[in-house]
Amino acid sequence: MKQYDYLVVGAGLFGAVFAHEAKKRGKTSLVIDKREHIGGNIYCENIDGINVHKYGAHIFHTDNREVWDYVNSFVEFNRFTNSPVANYRGELYNLPFNMNTFYRLWGVKTPLEAKAKIEEQRGEYAHIENPANMEEQALKLCGKDIYEKLIKGYTEKQWGRGAKELPAFIIKRIPFRFIYDNNYFNDTYQGIPKGGYNKLIEGLLDGIEVRLGTDYFSCREEMDSIAEKILFTGCIDEFFNYSCGELDYRSLKFEHKHLQMEDFQGNAVVNYTEREIPYTRVIEHKHFEFGTQPSTVVTYEYPDNY
């Protein structure tokens, strides 16, 4: 008999849920993580009373009532609704694309007017029967204005290459909402844990052995020998020793700033869609929990090579 039923590599949300459910079924788990904290990419650091999402914004959303009740059994979630704003050369647009966006772009006020304008713009690219790249596909789907102001630069920054170098299948459809609604997600349930995501992970891992600062690949033989089965949540190409080559991952780097002001941008998420600005968005964390602290913390997100 080995010491544990499961070795769980990665103390993020998936690993924590698995270990918790295994414990309920009488199984033992050892959870390891190479970082010095639990939570993986949803880890939050408290700065001046503000729960800072250290690895980018994470908004929980689901249509599944069972899932919603499950996470709320560990920590109560608030009613945060994701309503990002896009900044293009100083012009502000609501996301996702809805009547507020179309009014700001063209001054149209009714769904009929908006649909007519979109069809007019799409019509200029009707001659493109088989789009050869992402740019042609996007232009065919939405026309010039939406593409150039709200899609092109943002997408090129995310992928680290020009839109004409990207395959057409990246954008299969562009959702339009012909109502005045800035809610980014369609899911019934949406929110942020009150007090941050750490409370959720701590609840899931309660009573489970966790070893932090432990890199699986630096002690793989030992780790494999102490558990019956392994649940691995890291990079799959690394797990197989790159036997089929390296996957072409993209990554992000984060620049956090603690500012002595009450409110920096008035919204949790502001996307910067022009190519010339190197970051894709700015996150102001206090807005996720409707904070009233005298200071604020913002994070600039920069796309990067993995």
Side-chain angles (χ1 to χ4, degrees):
M1 292 291 293
K2 295 190 177 181
Q3 189 175 352
Y4 303 95
D5 293 304
Y6 295 102
L7 171 71
V8 179
V9 182
L13 186 56
F14 188 90
V17 169
F18 181 90
H20 179 81
E21 291 300 310
K23 182 174 181 288
K24 284 166 60 175
R25 290 157 176 79
K27 303 294 184 180
T28 58
S29 298
L30 171 63
V31 179
I32 66 171
D33 201 294
K34 64 183 179 181
R35 294 172 177 169
E36 295 294 340
H37 59 73
I38 60 174
N41 288 341
I42 63 172
Y43 170 72
C44 295
E45 179 184 356
N46 190 285
I47 299 176
D48 202 14
I50 300 166
N51 291 304
V52 176
H53 299 210
K54 291 292 285 186
Y55 304 101
H58 292 87
I59 297 112
F60 197 95
H61 57 101
T62 180
D63 262 335
N64 190 315
R65 179 59 187 265
E66 184 180 1
V67 169
W68 185 247
D69 289 343
Y70 182 84
V71 295
N72 275 271
S73 70
F74 297 97
V75 56
E76 184 182 358
F77 278 63
N78 68 19
R79 57 174 181 80
F80 177 81
T81 299
N82 190 28
S83 302
V85 172
N87 185 317
Y88 175 77
R89 302 188 187 281
E91 300 172 0
L92 300 180
Y93 298 91
N94 291 107
L95 299 175
F97 306 142
N98 68 76
M99 286 302 301
N100 290 310
T101 321
F102 307 142
Y103 175 74
R104 183 74 176 87
L105 280 167
W106 305 307
V108 296
K109 298 178 181 178
T110 68
L112 193 63
E113 292 174 330
K115 290 176 182 178
K117 187 65 177 179
I118 291 171
E119 286 305 310
E120 174 193 321
Q121 294 229 330
R122 291 180 61 191
E124 296 180 31
Y125 304 95
H127 61 281
I128 302 176
E129 293 186 8
N130 297 301
N133 52 58
M134 192 281 287
E135 178 162 291
E136 290 186 0
Q137 175 76 346
L139 288 168
K140 188 175 176 65
L141 289 171
C142 68
K144 182 179 179 180
D145 289 347
I146 291 175
Y147 171 68
E148 291 194 346
K149 290 190 174 186
L150 302 175
I151 297 176
K152 177 179 168 65
Y154 192 88
T155 304
E156 290 181 336
K157 287 189 285 188
Q158 289 282 34
W159 289 93
R161 61 191 68 179
K164 292 181 179 179
E165 301 174 63
L166 295 168
F169 68 75
I170 285 177
I171 295 184
K172 294 184 177 179
R173 68 184 187 91
I174 296 175
F176 298 123
R177 294 184 189 170
F178 296 99
I179 54 176
Y180 290 90
D181 183 3
N182 300 322
N183 183 356
Y184 194 80
F185 300 116
N186 290 317
D187 298 298
T188 305
Y189 309 105
Q190 180 178 168
I192 302 287
K194 292 183 177 180
Y197 278 100
N198 296 1
K199 289 190 174 183
L200 173 60
I201 299 297
E202 288 165 1
L204 287 164
L205 291 177
D206 184 40
I208 295 168
E209 185 177 350
V210 179
R211 296 183 192 174
L212 300 176
T214 303
D215 186 348
Y216 171 70
F217 293 106
S218 67
C219 52
R220 186 171 187 169
E221 186 174 344
E222 176 196 350
M223 290 291 103
D224 289 352
S225 70
I226 62 176
E228 295 290 340
K229 294 184 179 180
I230 300 167
L231 180 80
F232 180 79
T233 67
C235 298
I236 195 70
D237 52 351
E238 186 178 14
F239 183 81
F240 287 105
N241 296 314
Y242 306 104
S243 57
C244 295
E246 295 184 18
L247 291 172
D248 193 16
Y249 293 112
R250 290 287 288 166
S251 186
L252 294 169
K253 61 181 179 181
F254 305 97
E255 180 185 354
H256 306 287
K257 293 185 178 181
H258 187 193
L259 305 175
Q260 296 306 313
M261 62 174 66
E262 187 175 348
D263 198 340
F264 177 73
Q265 62 187 20
N267 203 52
V269 182
V270 177
N271 293 356
Y272 286 80
T273 59
E274 61 191 272
R275 185 68 182 87
E276 293 75 17
I277 290 180
Y279 44 87
T280 49
R281 60 182 186 171
V282 177
I283 309 301
E284 188 164 13
H285 302 268
K286 68 189 300 180
H287 294 301
F288 290 129
E289 298 184 63
F290 315 107
T292 57
Q293 297 88 346
S295 66
T296 191
V297 179
V298 298
T299 299
Y300 292 78
E301 291 191 7
Y302 296 83
D304 199 8
N305 294 322
Y306 181 73

